[in-house]
Amino acid sequence: MCSPNMKIVLSLLVLLGLYFFSDALDLYRHRSHEKRYYRGYKVLRLYPSNSEQLRLLHDLAESENSELDFWLPPSSVSRPVDVMIPPERFHQIKHLLTANHIQQEILVEDVDKAIENEKTPAPYSELRSTSSVFFTKYQRINDIHNYLENLAAENSPIASILSIGKSYEERDLKAIKISKETSNDKPIIWIDAGIHAREWISIATAVYIAKELIQNYNSDPDIKSLVDTFEWYILPSVNPDGYEYSHDYNRMWRKTRSVGTSVWGCIGVDANRNFGFKWNQGGASSNPCSDLYAGPKAFSEPETKAISEFILARKNQVKLYIATHSYSQLWLTPWGWTSKLPDDYDDQYNLANIAVKALNSVHGTKYQIGSSTNLLYIAAGGADDWAYGVAGIKYAYTPELRDTGRYGFVLPASQIIPSGEETFAAVKAMALALKNELSRGLI
């Protein structure tokens, strides 16, 4: 028969063993090059209605060993929370939620089936032109680069390819430049996507925007004027290493693929917490195994450093900075590090409103506008905050593309073209408004 002290010791040993086992499992999942499947995983939408329920969800989200993946993390009362739950934890978590009277609904019944459905190409019968065939499925990074290179080669008077740097695994950070002429004072529009690896629709949409600008240059007077007025730089995949990993091994991978120095060797950094403005001051983690890991220091990742150096070398020219994400159908403004609004918020809102109205006119898709913290959640160290707060770019945005949660990160390929069409309409409307401001000497 064990003494009370012996029971305490045994309990501590069990807990210690579980802790190390869970960390070892986490290490395996981060570093494994075996395909990860999501059979039986479900995504629940939760509706916290009071501070106690919100605190419980915060505790679950911040638990290092919970094995829950918060697609939309808890932020405030009455704001929904989306969480992916493994089958072996589902009944336990559901019981916990029910016991605490947290309203819930199933968004995705089986994540693995949703992933398979996502791979189904859009039918050719829905295409308006043969130039859209590329957008019937989610393409790999080499195919994206080849597509852009061919697009530039066929339209060399207005398009060219450049690499702004290398990823951690030595992939080119390839961007396409679209401009009739180049000069040291020509205003610049910057668009990037795919900083989070699993947000595939953002990458496809960025490529679609490039296609529309180039292929309609000679047929659309507005597009011609925008390409003649601005230098456009579009970087479809900020995080090509993570994007490829999400195709080959783990569809839900979010971070970069840099090798850290933690004792467990966890891989990657959340690149949208790695920018050098209010770095790691909220909505980020110092735990290298967390999906929100801000990195050992600001700009530790070659991908974020390359963007910052490219933008700062041209900061007086950049008039619009768009960092494209998914999902939620939001057009977000700074700040992400605080609920306070920036001095330029009214102007930022008004330009975003022009974009959202144009977007809505295409397919009726509804977006909300607001600052990142007030509309979504706190996220310090983000690209848009840095672009506005350090690079001095007045109009810096983070659009969160389709959808509102029915598919989340596994949006079917049939939605690539509609997303591209409506997002291009938004960007075009913003650029025309900016062109008008330029002509009046307002920016």
Side-chain angles (χ1 to χ4, degrees):
M1 190 171 182
C2 295
S3 67
N5 287 339
M6 180 62 71
K7 287 182 179 179
I8 292 172
V9 170
L10 288 173
S11 297
L12 288 173
L13 287 173
V14 169
L15 288 172
L16 191 63
L18 288 173
Y19 176 82
F20 281 110
F21 173 77
S22 182
D23 269 1
L25 182 62
D26 191 51
L27 169 63
Y28 170 78
R29 285 175 172 168
H30 275 76
R31 303 193 69 168
S32 173
H33 279 72
E34 292 184 11
K35 185 80 170 180
R36 184 170 180 186
Y37 295 95
Y38 289 90
R39 295 188 190 96
Y41 281 67
K42 299 181 190 299
V43 178
L44 285 186
R45 171 155 289 179
L46 313 176
Y47 299 92
S49 59
N50 57 53
S51 58
E52 290 77 15
Q53 292 178 351
L54 187 66
R55 181 69 258 166
L56 172 65
L57 296 180
H58 270 297
D59 289 343
L60 283 174
E62 292 169 4
S63 173
E64 295 180 8
N65 305 310
S66 70
E67 298 182 61
L68 305 181
D69 184 354
F70 282 81
W71 289 14
L72 285 181
S75 55
S76 65
V77 171
S78 301
R79 195 171 295 168
V81 175
D82 295 350
V83 57
M84 183 176 71
I85 307 172
E88 62 272 16
R89 295 292 307 280
F90 181 76
H91 292 296
Q92 175 194 6
I93 296 298
K94 188 170 178 60
H95 176 75
L96 178 66
L97 298 171
T98 302
N100 284 275
H101 309 290
I102 298 176
Q103 184 183 349
Q104 58 200 265
E105 64 173 317
I106 295 177
L107 291 181
V108 182
E109 185 69 42
D110 188 298
V111 173
D112 216 47
K113 290 180 180 177
I115 291 171
E116 288 304 309
N117 183 56
E118 178 189 40
K119 296 176 183 176
T120 304
Y124 288 162
S125 60
E126 296 180 5
L127 301 182
R128 296 181 183 177
S129 68
T130 55
S131 65
S132 296
V133 171
F134 182 83
F135 299 95
T136 58
K137 66 177 183 178
Y138 292 103
Q139 305 285 352
R140 302 296 292 267
I141 197 66
N142 286 339
D143 295 322
I144 290 170
H145 288 169
N146 289 337
Y147 177 83
L148 293 176
E149 286 166 359
N150 290 334
L151 198 60
E154 293 166 2
N155 299 273
S156 56
I158 62 167
S160 59
I161 299 296
L162 68 155
S163 174
I164 70 163
K166 297 277 191 181
S167 69
Y168 181 83
E169 293 179 346
E170 293 293 313
R171 291 183 174 89
D172 275 313
L173 301 176
K174 282 192 179 181
I176 188 164
K177 175 184 174 182
I178 306 166
S179 179
K180 180 60 176 175
E181 296 174 352
T182 299
S183 66
N184 291 330
D185 59 355
K186 194 171 185 181
I188 288 172
I189 292 175
W190 169 272
I191 300 173
D192 68 44
I195 197 168
H196 290 146
R198 62 189 178 185
E199 297 171 12
W200 289 5
I201 188 61
S202 70
I203 295 172
T205 299
V207 178
Y208 192 93
I209 291 170
K211 188 261 301 186
E212 288 293 288
L213 286 170
I214 292 170
Q215 292 188 343
N216 294 306
Y217 176 78
N218 292 316
S219 60
D220 185 322
D222 283 339
I223 290 176
K224 185 178 188 304
S225 73
L226 294 176
V227 173
D228 290 349
T229 300
F230 297 100
E231 282 180 21
W232 296 73
Y233 292 93
I234 300 177
L235 176 65
S237 181
V238 175
N239 179 12
D241 300 345
Y243 181 62
E244 285 297 285
Y245 189 82
S246 72
H247 274 275
D248 286 335
Y249 302 111
N250 184 350
R251 177 61 187 87
M252 289 302 124
W253 187 259
R254 172 184 169 94
K255 300 192 289 182
T256 64
R257 293 294 299 168
S258 58
V259 177
T261 58
S262 73
V263 65
W264 294 109
C266 289
I267 299 292
V269 166
D270 182 342
N272 204 43
R273 303 293 187 276
N274 191 240
F275 282 78
F277 181 77
K278 305 296 181 181
W279 175 79
N280 207 19
Q281 292 190 24
S285 175
S286 298
N287 172 16
C289 296
S290 168
D291 268 353
L292 300 177
Y293 179 46
K297 62 180 180 179
F299 295 124
S300 62
E301 304 308 283
E303 298 87 353
T304 57
K305 186 176 181 182
I307 290 175
S308 69
E309 291 175 348
F310 186 86
I311 294 296
L312 288 178
R314 299 160 178 82
K315 69 175 184 176
N316 294 329
Q317 294 174 256
V318 182
K319 304 303 179 186
L320 177 61
Y321 187 109
I322 300 176
T324 314
H325 288 247
S326 70
Y327 61 97
S328 286
Q329 293 174 199
L330 308 172
W331 207 283
L332 302 176
T333 75
W335 299 111
W337 70 276
T338 176
S339 60
K340 295 178 181 178
L341 298 176
D343 293 340
D344 294 305
Y345 179 75
D346 288 345
D347 289 343
Q348 292 168 343
Y349 183 95
N350 290 337
L351 188 61
N353 194 42
I354 290 171
V356 166
K357 285 182 176 179
L359 187 152
N360 176 260
S361 70
V362 180
H363 295 293
T365 310
K366 295 180 179 180
Y367 272 56
Q368 292 179 275
I369 305 168
S371 75
S372 297
T373 298
N374 289 310
L375 206 55
L376 193 57
Y377 45 70
I378 189 168
D384 56 350
D385 275 12
W386 173 86
Y388 178 65
V390 175
I393 302 166
K394 178 179 178 180
Y395 295 114
Y397 299 98
T398 297
E400 295 279 355
L401 304 181
R402 293 185 178 203
D403 59 2
T404 57
R406 169 64 182 84
Y407 297 102
F409 296 122
V410 285
L411 196 70
S414 60
Q415 295 200 34
I416 293 173
I417 292 175
S419 174
E421 291 171 336
E422 65 192 14
T423 310
F424 177 71
V427 171
K428 179 182 175 182
M430 292 181 98
L432 288 170
L434 280 177
K435 181 173 177 284
N436 183 49
E437 286 198 26
L438 283 168
S439 67
R440 296 161 58 197
L442 299 178
I443 56 172

